[in-house]
Amino acid sequence: MRRTRIAEILAEEKIGAHYTVMGWVRTRRDSKGGFSFIEVNDGSSLSGVQVIADQSLGNYDSDVLKLQTGCSIMVVGTLAASPGKGQKVELKAEALEVLGWADPEIYPLQKKRHSYEFLRTIAHLRPRTNTFGAVARVRNAMAHAIHTFFQERGFIYLHTPIITGSDCEGAGEMFKVTTFDLNLAPEKDGEVDFTKDFFGGPANLTVSGQLEAEIYALSMGDVYTFGPTFRAENSNTSRHLAEFWMVEPEMAFCDLEGDVELAVQFLKYIFASVLDSCKEDMVFFNRFIDHSVIKTLEDLISQDFKVLTYTEGVEILKKAGQGFEYPVEWGSDLQSEHERYLCEKVFEGPVVLIDYPKEIKAFYMKMSQDGRTVKAMDVLVPKIGEIIGGSQREDDHDILYNRIKESGLNPKDYWWYLELRKFGSVPHSGFGLGFERLIQFVTGLSNIRDVIPFPRAPGNLSF
Ligand code: ATP
Ligand code: MN
């Protein structure tokens, strides 16, 4: 079966060219003159192609006049300039074959606009809608741009493990991996005896690839991971998933300043790239989902990112005289209302906050001279707040050892992580970015479950 994708046909506009198109019927309209307009979409672009099928087709009455939304067809035809409004070209059918019928009585997707909640229950059909088709193309383009960005800069793409024996930060709620029959799991001293399990010890799904990425940064220089991560946090929010994709670059011979620089370049690159390669889909999001997405992205590309310390940020917030839901004190974690206030009201643009109190950040962040703050950075953007979190990593063995203990963790569990600081330790830095949060920002979709094909969330595993 040979076909030409509709995106290609629309891009080339070769009047008189002969094509075979395959796709799904969106709508059919019949004209009195004995012909029908069939809107066909094949997923390659938001726009479908308009097919003109007339009664000279042998199966006009038997097939064409029975076509409904959702049917799949093959059309062989010639491209012509379209006299109608709404499209420049149309395909004059010379043959039309029905590949698969879709009974309109039971086909769940009809012309009307369906709610996102309903569409989540039909994840096998929702990519046939304009919105979810556009999300799929934008998600794909962003993944491609992420790889291109790092590959052009000489970073090595690293696959960190999905099943791990370590809990990256001692913080995340993790999913256990076991082959035990839970009713018959062997016990020792009243607890499940994981030494008898598949891996000879407890195993989990990873919450982050960072610690393993550091291993490769300290031998290959610049690396990045881009893979699935898992968190069993029982938070039913519009920004949390149980399974999501994370981008984590890690750079040797790089301090916090270099880390900030890379994060800023990275965001600008991805935004510029998606605006360029997904114009039609972005115009769609701007029109139907959020009227400001294109301008927001364009502004971020052209604006400088204001860099200031956490301490300076807290000073500004305390002086703001703003009735925040959560009060601000030095040492407290900033909430997204504070982050957004800094971006939207104070600096009118993106902000990078650096040098956070060590108490509110992870043990692996590099201690500053002052003994109170660590070399952390959060990149904050309007409308969302934090979009990237990163840091320079602690590269001093003894300081790291103490920070692990202080954090209530067992240094034995981090023996290899500590050894990296014993043998050829170097300054190094990295950051983590939640891929779905970035897609939310780019598309304007407010629920994270609508930017991943098959969302996993508490109580939700239907596909
Ligand atoms: P939050 O405070 O929003 O829960 P976090 O502090 O737990 O985020 P990190 O551990 O720093 O997040 O993870 C890095 C990035 O991964 C975050 O900046 C965010 O973009 C993304 N992220 C974290 N948890 C989730 C989740 N459950 N679903 C989707 N993305 C997530
Ligand atoms: Mn979290």
Side-chain angles (χ1 to χ4, degrees):
M1 291 175 111
R2 286 199 161 216
R3 65 170 178 126
T4 306
R5 291 198 179 89
I6 292 170
E8 196 183 314
I9 296 174
L10 297 180
E12 292 180 346
E13 288 182 3
K14 272 196 229 156
I15 303 300
H18 202 69
Y19 292 112
T20 301
V21 163
M22 301 189 201
W24 293 268
V25 172
R26 284 289 175 85
T27 57
R28 190 198 87 229
R29 241 171 357 101
D30 305 321
S31 171
K32 285 195 202 91
F35 62 96
S36 304
F37 301 97
I38 308 162
E39 183 73 19
V40 182
N41 189 289
D42 68 0
S44 60
S45 66
L46 186 77
S47 295
V49 71
Q50 172 164 287
V51 170
I52 312 289
D54 68 34
Q55 55 195 7
S56 68
L57 294 173
N59 59 346
Y60 185 72
D61 293 332
S62 58
D63 287 344
V64 174
L65 288 180
K66 291 184 189 146
L67 287 175
Q68 301 278 1
T69 306
C71 294
S72 49
I73 57 172
M74 174 172 85
V75 182
V76 181
T78 302
L79 201 69
S82 175
K85 277 195 211 127
Q87 67 281 321
K88 282 195 192 150
V89 293
E90 59 192 23
L91 195 66
K92 292 226 180 314
E94 284 136 30
L96 184 152
E97 188 184 318
V98 179
L99 302 175
W101 293 102
D103 181 353
E105 294 293 318
I106 51 174
Y107 185 61
L109 284 178
Q110 294 302 330
K111 262 174 268 174
K112 69 176 188 129
R113 228 174 138 157
H114 298 285
S115 73
Y116 292 124
E117 289 75 13
F118 170 69
L119 290 170
R120 274 175 225 139
T121 68
I122 50 165
H124 61 310
L125 295 171
R126 69 174 182 169
R128 293 189 190 178
T129 64
N130 281 337
T131 303
F132 289 89
V135 169
R137 283 183 297 271
V138 163
R139 185 177 169 110
N140 169 67
M142 287 170 65
H144 184 84
I146 286 167
H147 283 297
T148 309
F149 175 83
F150 289 120
Q151 294 293 331
E152 278 177 353
R153 284 161 183 75
F155 282 61
I156 300 262
Y157 177 33
L158 172 69
H159 299 106
T160 48
I162 288 172
I163 300 175
T164 86
S166 75
D167 172 351
C168 171
E169 307 180 10
E173 287 287 322
M174 307 187 84
F175 288 102
K176 286 195 173 55
V177 176
T178 177
T179 54
F180 281 159
D181 176 337
L182 294 183
N183 297 313
L184 302 169
E187 289 189 14
K188 198 177 164 192
D189 307 328
E191 285 188 12
V192 174
D193 183 7
F194 283 107
T195 62
K196 297 207 171 69
D197 201 356
F198 190 93
F199 295 106
N204 298 301
L205 293 180
T206 186
V207 295
S208 158
Q210 180 201 319
L211 302 196
E212 292 92 347
E214 286 185 50
I215 296 176
Y216 271 75
L218 294 184
S219 44
M220 313 298 292
D222 299 324
V223 302
Y224 69 105
T225 73
F226 183 9
T229 48
F230 307 86
R231 300 201 182 171
E233 48 200 358
N234 202 356
S235 47
N236 245 317
T237 77
S238 59
R239 289 148 48 90
H240 289 89
L241 289 165
E243 175 180 297
F244 64 100
W245 287 65
M246 190 125 80
V247 181
E248 295 178 283
E250 192 69 36
M251 295 82 70
F253 319 110
C254 178
D255 58 13
L256 185 67
E257 205 182 321
D259 204 24
V260 171
E261 211 176 288
L262 188 84
V264 171
Q265 278 180 17
F266 171 80
L267 287 177
K268 292 188 175 200
Y269 183 93
I270 303 300
F271 296 153
S273 172
V274 73
L275 283 176
D276 181 54
S277 67
C278 298
K279 283 198 185 79
E280 188 186 30
D281 292 320
M282 289 307 301
V283 167
F284 171 82
F285 289 124
N286 204 65
R287 190 159 162 215
F288 293 106
I289 308 291
D290 175 345
H291 298 311
S292 65
V293 277
I294 290 184
K295 179 162 192 313
T296 305
L297 296 181
E298 284 172 349
D299 285 350
L300 283 195
I301 293 166
S302 62
Q303 279 170 330
D304 286 332
F305 284 49
K306 173 85 187 163
V307 182
L308 70 158
T309 66
Y310 165 93
T311 305
E312 288 164 340
V314 166
E315 287 305 313
I316 292 171
L317 291 167
K318 283 170 76 168
K319 281 197 210 119
Q322 196 76 9
F324 291 120
E325 192 183 337
Y326 296 89
V328 189
E329 271 311 317
W330 197 94
S332 65
D333 218 351
L334 297 186
Q335 305 294 323
S336 74
E337 58 172 336
H338 309 130
E339 298 171 342
R340 293 185 55 179
Y341 182 84
L342 288 174
C343 292
E344 293 165 16
K345 297 278 159 24
V346 183
F347 295 104
E348 296 181 5
V351 173
V352 186
L353 276 190
I354 57 170
D355 300 343
Y356 281 73
K358 66 175 188 192
E359 285 77 15
I360 57 172
K361 289 290 180 187
F363 71 86
Y364 51 70
M365 299 191 178
K366 183 159 184 63
M367 187 71 77
S368 300
Q369 298 282 309
D370 63 16
R372 303 167 70 209
T373 62
V374 288
K375 298 212 169 291
M377 65 138 177
D378 280 0
V379 181
L380 317 177
V381 294
K383 294 199 288 189
I384 296 235
E386 180 191 335
I387 197 158
I388 285 180
S391 68
Q392 186 171 337
R393 318 307 188 187
E394 184 55 75
D395 54 354
D396 180 288
H397 176 276
D398 296 348
I399 297 176
L400 181 63
Y401 185 92
N402 289 330
R403 286 282 288 145
I404 290 175
K405 289 200 86 165
E406 260 175 38
S407 308
L409 302 169
N410 187 349
K412 278 206 187 102
D413 294 338
Y414 295 88
W415 66 273
W416 53 266
Y417 194 68
L418 284 159
E419 276 203 355
L420 293 173
R421 278 73 179 169
K422 266 192 207 161
F423 309 129
S425 187
V426 302
H428 62 290
S429 302
F431 62 78
L433 163 108
F435 187 41
E436 284 75 19
R437 298 253 179 107
L438 193 66
I439 304 173
Q440 279 189 279
F441 186 66
V442 165
T443 59
L445 281 166
S446 56
N447 196 313
I448 196 164
R449 295 172 199 208
D450 297 326
V451 297
I452 187 164
F454 306 101
R456 271 84 183 87
N460 193 326
L461 187 68
S462 37
F463 281 85

